[in-house]
mmCIF file of all heavy atoms in Angstrom:
data_model
loop_
_atom_site.group_PDB
_atom_site.id
_atom_site.type_symbol
_atom_site.label_atom_id
_atom_site.label_comp_id
_atom_site.label_asym_id
_atom_site.label_seq_id
_atom_site.Cartn_x
_atom_site.Cartn_y
_atom_site.Cartn_z
ATOM 1 N N GLY A 17 175.153 33.471 107.173
ATOM 2 C CA GLY A 17 173.944 34.008 107.788
ATOM 3 C C GLY A 17 174.179 34.980 108.914
ATOM 4 O O GLY A 17 173.234 35.596 109.397
ATOM 5 N N SER A 18 175.404 35.148 109.339
ATOM 6 C CA SER A 18 175.672 36.075 110.443
ATOM 7 C C SER A 18 175.623 37.516 109.948
ATOM 8 O O SER A 18 175.911 37.802 108.787
ATOM 9 C CB SER A 18 177.038 35.785 111.050
ATOM 10 O OG SER A 18 178.060 35.983 110.096
ATOM 11 N N THR A 19 175.242 38.414 110.843
ATOM 12 C CA THR A 19 175.194 39.837 110.515
ATOM 13 C C THR A 19 176.070 40.616 111.484
ATOM 14 O O THR A 19 176.328 40.178 112.611
ATOM 15 C CB THR A 19 173.761 40.383 110.578
ATOM 16 O OG1 THR A 19 173.213 40.129 111.876
ATOM 17 C CG2 THR A 19 172.875 39.733 109.524
ATOM 18 N N ASN A 20 176.476 41.793 111.039
ATOM 19 C CA ASN A 20 177.330 42.640 111.852
ATOM 20 C C ASN A 20 176.900 44.077 111.620
ATOM 21 O O ASN A 20 176.715 44.490 110.468
ATOM 22 C CB ASN A 20 178.796 42.442 111.458
ATOM 23 C CG ASN A 20 179.736 43.267 112.292
ATOM 24 O OD1 ASN A 20 179.517 43.448 113.488
ATOM 25 N ND2 ASN A 20 180.782 43.776 111.673
ATOM 26 N N TYR A 21 176.730 44.841 112.691
ATOM 27 C CA TYR A 21 176.306 46.233 112.595
ATOM 28 C C TYR A 21 177.277 47.147 113.311
ATOM 29 O O TYR A 21 177.849 46.776 114.348
ATOM 30 C CB TYR A 21 174.926 46.428 113.223
ATOM 31 C CG TYR A 21 173.793 45.745 112.503
ATOM 32 C CD1 TYR A 21 173.408 44.457 112.836
ATOM 33 C CD2 TYR A 21 173.099 46.405 111.488
ATOM 34 C CE1 TYR A 21 172.354 43.838 112.180
ATOM 35 C CE2 TYR A 21 172.048 45.799 110.825
ATOM 36 C CZ TYR A 21 171.684 44.513 111.174
ATOM 37 O OH TYR A 21 170.642 43.905 110.516
ATOM 38 N N ALA A 22 177.429 48.340 112.796
ATOM 39 C CA ALA A 22 178.163 49.369 113.524
ATOM 40 C C ALA A 22 177.382 49.702 114.786
ATOM 41 O O ALA A 22 176.140 49.694 114.785
ATOM 42 C CB ALA A 22 178.318 50.614 112.663
ATOM 43 N N GLU A 23 178.094 49.999 115.864
ATOM 44 C CA GLU A 23 177.433 50.307 117.130
ATOM 45 C C GLU A 23 176.450 51.471 116.990
ATOM 46 O O GLU A 23 175.389 51.476 117.610
ATOM 47 C CB GLU A 23 178.476 50.639 118.185
ATOM 48 C CG GLU A 23 179.226 49.439 118.744
ATOM 49 C CD GLU A 23 178.335 48.488 119.511
ATOM 50 O OE1 GLU A 23 177.368 48.965 120.147
ATOM 51 O OE2 GLU A 23 178.588 47.277 119.482
ATOM 52 N N SER A 24 176.800 52.423 116.149
ATOM 53 C CA SER A 24 175.992 53.635 116.023
ATOM 54 C C SER A 24 174.631 53.391 115.364
ATOM 55 O O SER A 24 173.747 54.246 115.443
ATOM 56 C CB SER A 24 176.757 54.694 115.228
ATOM 57 O OG SER A 24 177.057 54.204 113.927
ATOM 58 N N VAL A 25 174.460 52.226 114.713
ATOM 59 C CA VAL A 25 173.193 51.970 114.008
ATOM 60 C C VAL A 25 172.425 50.784 114.587
ATOM 61 O O VAL A 25 171.304 50.502 114.149
ATOM 62 C CB VAL A 25 173.415 51.749 112.495
ATOM 63 C CG1 VAL A 25 174.209 52.904 111.896
ATOM 64 C CG2 VAL A 25 174.088 50.414 112.209
ATOM 65 N N LYS A 26 173.013 50.101 115.555
ATOM 66 C CA LYS A 26 172.338 48.944 116.152
ATOM 67 C C LYS A 26 170.981 49.346 116.726
ATOM 68 O O LYS A 26 170.857 50.357 117.410
ATOM 69 C CB LYS A 26 173.209 48.337 117.245
ATOM 70 C CG LYS A 26 174.336 47.461 116.730
ATOM 71 C CD LYS A 26 175.101 46.811 117.874
ATOM 72 C CE LYS A 26 176.214 45.918 117.334
ATOM 73 N NZ LYS A 26 177.002 45.303 118.429
ATOM 74 N N GLY A 27 169.991 48.526 116.419
ATOM 75 C CA GLY A 27 168.633 48.799 116.888
ATOM 76 C C GLY A 27 167.855 49.739 116.002
ATOM 77 O O GLY A 27 166.634 49.896 116.178
ATOM 78 N N ARG A 28 168.514 50.379 115.050
ATOM 79 C CA ARG A 28 167.841 51.315 114.134
ATOM 80 C C ARG A 28 167.855 50.832 112.690
ATOM 81 O O ARG A 28 166.902 51.067 111.943
ATOM 82 C CB ARG A 28 168.501 52.696 114.204
ATOM 83 C CG ARG A 28 168.471 53.325 115.583
ATOM 84 C CD ARG A 28 168.963 54.779 115.549
ATOM 85 N NE ARG A 28 170.344 54.892 115.105
ATOM 86 C CZ ARG A 28 170.739 55.619 114.057
ATOM 87 N NH1 ARG A 28 169.852 56.273 113.342
ATOM 88 N NH2 ARG A 28 172.013 55.687 113.727
ATOM 89 N N PHE A 29 168.952 50.193 112.286
ATOM 90 C CA PHE A 29 169.100 49.731 110.906
ATOM 91 C C PHE A 29 168.995 48.208 110.858
ATOM 92 O O PHE A 29 169.432 47.516 111.785
ATOM 93 C CB PHE A 29 170.465 50.137 110.344
ATOM 94 C CG PHE A 29 170.649 51.607 110.117
ATOM 95 C CD1 PHE A 29 169.757 52.555 110.590
ATOM 96 C CD2 PHE A 29 171.766 52.061 109.418
ATOM 97 C CE1 PHE A 29 169.938 53.913 110.377
ATOM 98 C CE2 PHE A 29 171.966 53.408 109.192
ATOM 99 C CZ PHE A 29 171.054 54.340 109.671
ATOM 100 N N THR A 30 168.465 47.708 109.729
ATOM 101 C CA THR A 30 168.375 46.277 109.529
ATOM 102 C C THR A 30 168.802 45.935 108.113
ATOM 103 O O THR A 30 168.271 46.506 107.153
ATOM 104 C CB THR A 30 166.943 45.766 109.759
ATOM 105 O OG1 THR A 30 166.509 46.117 111.068
ATOM 106 C CG2 THR A 30 166.883 44.251 109.606
ATOM 107 N N ILE A 31 169.738 45.005 108.000
ATOM 108 C CA ILE A 31 170.190 44.536 106.701
ATOM 109 C C ILE A 31 169.455 43.247 106.366
ATOM 110 O O ILE A 31 169.226 42.406 107.238
ATOM 111 C CB ILE A 31 171.722 44.334 106.678
ATOM 112 C CG1 ILE A 31 172.218 44.084 105.255
ATOM 113 C CG2 ILE A 31 172.157 43.236 107.634
ATOM 114 C CD1 ILE A 31 173.738 44.130 105.129
ATOM 115 N N SER A 32 169.066 43.116 105.092
ATOM 116 C CA SER A 32 168.377 41.909 104.658
ATOM 117 C C SER A 32 168.625 41.720 103.175
ATOM 118 O O SER A 32 169.169 42.601 102.504
ATOM 119 C CB SER A 32 166.879 42.002 104.944
ATOM 120 O OG SER A 32 166.293 43.054 104.202
ATOM 121 N N SER A 33 168.219 40.568 102.671
ATOM 122 C CA SER A 33 168.426 40.290 101.257
ATOM 123 C C SER A 33 167.278 39.470 100.697
ATOM 124 O O SER A 33 166.565 38.782 101.437
ATOM 125 C CB SER A 33 169.755 39.567 101.037
ATOM 126 O OG SER A 33 169.739 38.305 101.670
ATOM 127 N N ASP A 34 167.106 39.572 99.394
ATOM 128 C CA ASP A 34 166.150 38.763 98.660
ATOM 129 C C ASP A 34 166.939 38.065 97.558
ATOM 130 O O ASP A 34 167.260 38.678 96.533
ATOM 131 C CB ASP A 34 165.034 39.639 98.075
ATOM 132 C CG ASP A 34 163.935 38.820 97.419
ATOM 133 O OD1 ASP A 34 164.231 37.709 96.919
ATOM 134 O OD2 ASP A 34 162.797 39.292 97.384
ATOM 135 N N ASN A 35 167.295 36.811 97.802
ATOM 136 C CA ASN A 35 168.158 36.097 96.864
ATOM 137 C C ASN A 35 167.503 35.950 95.491
ATOM 138 O O ASN A 35 168.191 35.991 94.474
ATOM 139 C CB ASN A 35 168.525 34.727 97.425
ATOM 140 C CG ASN A 35 169.390 34.829 98.664
ATOM 141 O OD1 ASN A 35 169.997 35.877 98.933
ATOM 142 N ND2 ASN A 35 169.432 33.771 99.445
ATOM 143 N N ALA A 36 166.204 35.793 95.469
ATOM 144 C CA ALA A 36 165.508 35.621 94.185
ATOM 145 C C ALA A 36 165.594 36.876 93.324
ATOM 146 O O ALA A 36 165.545 36.791 92.092
ATOM 147 C CB ALA A 36 164.052 35.256 94.439
ATOM 148 N N LYS A 37 165.720 38.025 93.972
ATOM 149 C CA LYS A 37 165.812 39.297 93.251
ATOM 150 C C LYS A 37 167.238 39.817 93.177
ATOM 151 O O LYS A 37 167.462 40.919 92.671
ATOM 152 C CB LYS A 37 164.922 40.344 93.923
ATOM 153 C CG LYS A 37 163.438 40.015 93.879
ATOM 154 C CD LYS A 37 162.612 41.111 94.536
ATOM 155 C CE LYS A 37 161.134 40.795 94.462
ATOM 156 N NZ LYS A 37 160.308 41.862 95.102
ATOM 157 N N ASN A 38 168.185 39.042 93.694
ATOM 158 C CA ASN A 38 169.599 39.480 93.705
ATOM 159 C C ASN A 38 169.736 40.861 94.336
ATOM 160 O O ASN A 38 170.501 41.706 93.838
ATOM 161 C CB ASN A 38 170.179 39.480 92.289
ATOM 162 C CG ASN A 38 170.270 38.088 91.706
ATOM 163 O OD1 ASN A 38 170.360 37.101 92.441
ATOM 164 N ND2 ASN A 38 170.249 37.997 90.394
ATOM 165 N N THR A 39 169.022 41.091 95.404
ATOM 166 C CA THR A 39 168.948 42.427 95.999
ATOM 167 C C THR A 39 169.271 42.408 97.480
ATOM 168 O O THR A 39 168.795 41.534 98.210
ATOM 169 C CB THR A 39 167.548 43.039 95.788
ATOM 170 O OG1 THR A 39 167.259 43.087 94.383
ATOM 171 C CG2 THR A 39 167.474 44.450 96.345
ATOM 172 N N LEU A 40 170.062 43.382 97.872
ATOM 173 C CA LEU A 40 170.404 43.619 99.278
ATOM 174 C C LEU A 40 169.685 44.878 99.720
ATOM 175 O O LEU A 40 169.593 45.842 98.953
ATOM 176 C CB LEU A 40 171.908 43.797 99.426
ATOM 177 C CG LEU A 40 172.449 44.003 100.832
ATOM 178 C CD1 LEU A 40 172.419 42.694 101.619
ATOM 179 C CD2 LEU A 40 173.875 44.552 100.771
ATOM 180 N N TYR A 41 169.179 44.874 100.948
ATOM 181 C CA TYR A 41 168.448 46.026 101.473
ATOM 182 C C TYR A 41 169.091 46.547 102.745
ATOM 183 O O TYR A 41 169.776 45.818 103.464
ATOM 184 C CB TYR A 41 166.999 45.646 101.792
ATOM 185 C CG TYR A 41 166.213 45.120 100.629
ATOM 186 C CD1 TYR A 41 165.985 43.765 100.464
ATOM 187 C CD2 TYR A 41 165.681 45.999 99.681
ATOM 188 C CE1 TYR A 41 165.257 43.276 99.394
ATOM 189 C CE2 TYR A 41 164.942 45.515 98.601
ATOM 190 C CZ TYR A 41 164.741 44.157 98.468
ATOM 191 O OH TYR A 41 164.017 43.684 97.398
ATOM 192 N N LEU A 42 168.816 47.798 103.027
ATOM 193 C CA LEU A 42 169.158 48.374 104.322
ATOM 194 C C LEU A 42 167.963 49.220 104.758
ATOM 195 O O LEU A 42 167.697 50.272 104.165
ATOM 196 C CB LEU A 42 170.417 49.234 104.261
ATOM 197 C CG LEU A 42 170.874 49.784 105.612
ATOM 198 C CD1 LEU A 42 171.366 48.643 106.519
ATOM 199 C CD2 LEU A 42 171.992 50.828 105.443
ATOM 200 N N GLN A 43 167.234 48.736 105.737
ATOM 201 C CA GLN A 43 166.132 49.492 106.313
ATOM 202 C C GLN A 43 166.681 50.382 107.403
ATOM 203 O O GLN A 43 167.301 49.890 108.348
ATOM 204 C CB GLN A 43 165.071 48.550 106.885
ATOM 205 C CG GLN A 43 163.903 49.262 107.547
ATOM 206 C CD GLN A 43 163.063 50.061 106.565
ATOM 207 O OE1 GLN A 43 162.755 49.571 105.481
ATOM 208 N NE2 GLN A 43 162.699 51.274 106.938
ATOM 209 N N MET A 44 166.479 51.674 107.273
ATOM 210 C CA MET A 44 167.023 52.647 108.209
ATOM 211 C C MET A 44 165.871 53.378 108.885
ATOM 212 O O MET A 44 165.094 54.072 108.211
ATOM 213 C CB MET A 44 167.931 53.636 107.485
ATOM 214 C CG MET A 44 169.042 52.974 106.679
ATOM 215 S SD MET A 44 170.193 54.158 105.960
ATOM 216 C CE MET A 44 169.122 54.993 104.796
ATOM 217 N N ASN A 45 165.758 53.209 110.181
ATOM 218 C CA ASN A 45 164.718 53.863 110.971
ATOM 219 C C ASN A 45 165.343 54.821 111.978
ATOM 220 O O ASN A 45 166.535 54.747 112.263
ATOM 221 C CB ASN A 45 163.882 52.823 111.711
ATOM 222 C CG ASN A 45 163.173 51.862 110.779
ATOM 223 O OD1 ASN A 45 162.776 52.230 109.664
ATOM 224 N ND2 ASN A 45 162.991 50.629 111.219
ATOM 225 N N SER A 46 164.530 55.696 112.496
ATOM 226 C CA SER A 46 164.984 56.663 113.503
ATOM 227 C C SER A 46 166.257 57.374 113.054
ATOM 228 O O SER A 46 167.233 57.477 113.812
ATOM 229 C CB SER A 46 165.222 55.958 114.850
ATOM 230 O OG SER A 46 164.064 55.301 115.296
ATOM 231 N N LEU A 47 166.229 57.857 111.852
ATOM 232 C CA LEU A 47 167.416 58.472 111.274
ATOM 233 C C LEU A 47 167.808 59.747 112.017
ATOM 234 O O LEU A 47 166.953 60.503 112.492
ATOM 235 C CB LEU A 47 167.194 58.760 109.796
ATOM 236 C CG LEU A 47 167.322 57.518 108.895
ATOM 237 C CD1 LEU A 47 166.650 57.746 107.555
ATOM 238 C CD2 LEU A 47 168.783 57.149 108.715
ATOM 239 N N LYS A 48 169.125 59.958 112.089
ATOM 240 C CA LYS A 48 169.689 61.106 112.777
ATOM 241 C C LYS A 48 170.522 61.930 111.786
ATOM 242 O O LYS A 48 171.016 61.378 110.793
ATOM 243 C CB LYS A 48 170.590 60.639 113.919
ATOM 244 C CG LYS A 48 169.924 59.723 114.915
ATOM 245 C CD LYS A 48 170.928 59.214 115.951
ATOM 246 C CE LYS A 48 170.279 58.272 116.951
ATOM 247 N NZ LYS A 48 171.256 57.775 117.960
ATOM 248 N N PRO A 49 170.734 63.197 112.074
ATOM 249 C CA PRO A 49 171.570 64.010 111.176
ATOM 250 C C PRO A 49 172.959 63.396 110.948
ATOM 251 O O PRO A 49 173.515 63.508 109.849
ATOM 252 C CB PRO A 49 171.658 65.342 111.905
ATOM 253 C CG PRO A 49 170.371 65.422 112.663
ATOM 254 C CD PRO A 49 170.103 64.020 113.112
ATOM 255 N N GLU A 50 173.487 62.726 111.957
ATOM 256 C CA GLU A 50 174.812 62.130 111.813
ATOM 257 C C GLU A 50 174.820 60.898 110.912
ATOM 258 O O GLU A 50 175.884 60.357 110.618
ATOM 259 C CB GLU A 50 175.405 61.768 113.184
ATOM 260 C CG GLU A 50 174.498 60.966 114.089
ATOM 261 C CD GLU A 50 173.728 61.851 115.069
ATOM 262 O OE1 GLU A 50 173.235 62.940 114.660
ATOM 263 O OE2 GLU A 50 173.620 61.441 116.252
ATOM 264 N N ASP A 51 173.658 60.460 110.466
ATOM 265 C CA ASP A 51 173.591 59.383 109.477
ATOM 266 C C ASP A 51 173.782 59.901 108.055
ATOM 267 O O ASP A 51 173.863 59.109 107.110
ATOM 268 C CB ASP A 51 172.248 58.651 109.565
ATOM 269 C CG ASP A 51 172.051 57.916 110.880
ATOM 270 O OD1 ASP A 51 173.016 57.276 111.350
ATOM 271 O OD2 ASP A 51 170.936 57.987 111.446
ATOM 272 N N THR A 52 173.840 61.214 107.906
ATOM 273 C CA THR A 52 174.028 61.808 106.586
ATOM 274 C C THR A 52 175.356 61.369 105.986
ATOM 275 O O THR A 52 176.410 61.521 106.606
ATOM 276 C CB THR A 52 173.985 63.344 106.680
ATOM 277 O OG1 THR A 52 172.663 63.746 107.092
ATOM 278 C CG2 THR A 52 174.313 63.982 105.334
ATOM 279 N N ALA A 53 175.295 60.803 104.795
ATOM 280 C CA ALA A 53 176.492 60.285 104.132
ATOM 281 C C ALA A 53 176.102 59.723 102.771
ATOM 282 O O ALA A 53 174.915 59.599 102.453
ATOM 283 C CB ALA A 53 177.128 59.184 104.970
ATOM 284 N N VAL A 54 177.111 59.381 102.002
ATOM 285 C CA VAL A 54 176.891 58.569 100.806
ATOM 286 C C VAL A 54 176.997 57.117 101.234
ATOM 287 O O VAL A 54 177.976 56.722 101.876
ATOM 288 C CB VAL A 54 177.925 58.887 99.703
ATOM 289 C CG1 VAL A 54 177.694 57.978 98.494
ATOM 290 C CG2 VAL A 54 177.840 60.353 99.297
ATOM 291 N N TYR A 55 175.990 56.336 100.887
ATOM 292 C CA TYR A 55 175.947 54.937 101.270
ATOM 293 C C TYR A 55 176.306 54.065 100.066
ATOM 294 O O TYR A 55 175.752 54.247 98.974
ATOM 295 C CB TYR A 55 174.554 54.578 101.784
ATOM 296 C CG TYR A 55 174.304 55.084 103.185
ATOM 297 C CD1 TYR A 55 174.164 56.455 103.440
ATOM 298 C CD2 TYR A 55 174.242 54.218 104.272
ATOM 299 C CE1 TYR A 55 173.962 56.934 104.726
ATOM 300 C CE2 TYR A 55 174.035 54.685 105.559
ATOM 301 C CZ TYR A 55 173.906 56.035 105.776
ATOM 302 O OH TYR A 55 173.710 56.504 107.061
ATOM 303 N N TYR A 56 177.232 53.151 100.311
ATOM 304 C CA TYR A 56 177.747 52.286 99.253
ATOM 305 C C TYR A 56 177.409 50.823 99.540
ATOM 306 O O TYR A 56 177.572 50.352 100.671
ATOM 307 C CB TYR A 56 179.262 52.416 99.141
ATOM 308 C CG TYR A 56 179.754 53.775 98.745
ATOM 309 C CD1 TYR A 56 180.064 54.729 99.708
ATOM 310 C CD2 TYR A 56 179.917 54.121 97.406
ATOM 311 C CE1 TYR A 56 180.526 55.988 99.355
ATOM 312 C CE2 TYR A 56 180.379 55.378 97.041
ATOM 313 C CZ TYR A 56 180.687 56.298 98.023
ATOM 314 O OH TYR A 56 181.140 57.540 97.658
ATOM 315 N N CYS A 57 177.023 50.135 98.495
ATOM 316 C CA CYS A 57 176.829 48.694 98.567
ATOM 317 C C CYS A 57 178.171 48.015 98.277
ATOM 318 O O CYS A 57 178.929 48.467 97.402
ATOM 319 C CB CYS A 57 175.783 48.285 97.533
ATOM 320 S SG CYS A 57 175.413 46.524 97.495
ATOM 321 N N HIS A 58 178.441 46.949 98.990
ATOM 322 C CA HIS A 58 179.709 46.236 98.843
ATOM 323 C C HIS A 58 179.454 44.732 98.786
ATOM 324 O O HIS A 58 178.567 44.219 99.482
ATOM 325 C CB HIS A 58 180.626 46.558 100.032
ATOM 326 C CG HIS A 58 181.858 45.709 100.100
ATOM 327 N ND1 HIS A 58 181.956 44.630 100.945
ATOM 328 C CD2 HIS A 58 183.033 45.794 99.423
ATOM 329 C CE1 HIS A 58 183.153 44.072 100.798
ATOM 330 N NE2 HIS A 58 183.826 44.768 99.880
ATOM 331 N N ALA A 59 180.238 44.053 97.955
ATOM 332 C CA ALA A 59 180.172 42.597 97.887
ATOM 333 C C ALA A 59 181.585 42.040 97.811
ATOM 334 O O ALA A 59 182.473 42.652 97.216
ATOM 335 C CB ALA A 59 179.368 42.145 96.674
ATOM 336 N N ASN A 60 181.758 40.893 98.427
ATOM 337 C CA ASN A 60 183.070 40.264 98.470
ATOM 338 C C ASN A 60 182.928 38.770 98.188
ATOM 339 O O ASN A 60 182.052 38.124 98.771
ATOM 340 C CB ASN A 60 183.705 40.483 99.849
ATOM 341 C CG ASN A 60 184.972 39.691 100.026
ATOM 342 O OD1 ASN A 60 184.940 38.556 100.498
ATOM 343 N ND2 ASN A 60 186.089 40.266 99.637
ATOM 344 N N ASN A 61 183.760 38.269 97.285
ATOM 345 C CA ASN A 61 183.758 36.834 97.041
ATOM 346 C C ASN A 61 185.083 36.221 97.432
ATOM 347 O O ASN A 61 185.517 35.234 96.844
ATOM 348 C CB ASN A 61 183.424 36.533 95.580
ATOM 349 C CG ASN A 61 184.482 37.034 94.617
ATOM 350 O OD1 ASN A 61 185.485 37.621 95.033
ATOM 351 N ND2 ASN A 61 184.278 36.824 93.332
ATOM 352 N N ILE A 62 185.733 36.802 98.417
ATOM 353 C CA ILE A 62 187.025 36.431 98.991
ATOM 354 C C ILE A 62 188.165 36.927 98.110
ATOM 355 O O ILE A 62 189.100 37.558 98.598
ATOM 356 C CB ILE A 62 187.150 34.909 99.243
ATOM 357 C CG1 ILE A 62 186.078 34.461 100.236
ATOM 358 C CG2 ILE A 62 188.547 34.558 99.742
ATOM 359 C CD1 ILE A 62 186.101 33.004 100.557
#
């Protein structure tokens, strides 16, 4: 249940999930030009 954010996005981005839909979300607010990038979803099972 713990979350971790890059310093540059703290307070602007929020990560969440819907287990019933097998879906991970990233809500991004107050976007800046420096947020421009390709965003990748990642999963790890150790």
Side-chain angles (χ1 to χ4, degrees):
S18 62
T19 56
N20 182 37
Y21 293 91
E23 284 295 327
S24 60
V25 307
K26 281 184 179 178
R28 301 188 298 123
F29 291 11
T30 303
I31 190 169
S32 63
S33 64
D34 186 331
N35 294 342
K37 296 181 179 180
N38 294 335
T39 302
L40 182 74
Y41 301 101
L42 184 68
Q43 178 66 44
M44 306 185 294
N45 299 327
S46 303
L47 282 161
K48 304 175 181 180
E50 50 265 42
D51 295 318
T52 295
V54 178
Y55 284 70
Y56 297 91
C57 180
H58 170 260
N60 172 269
N61 65 0
I62 299 180

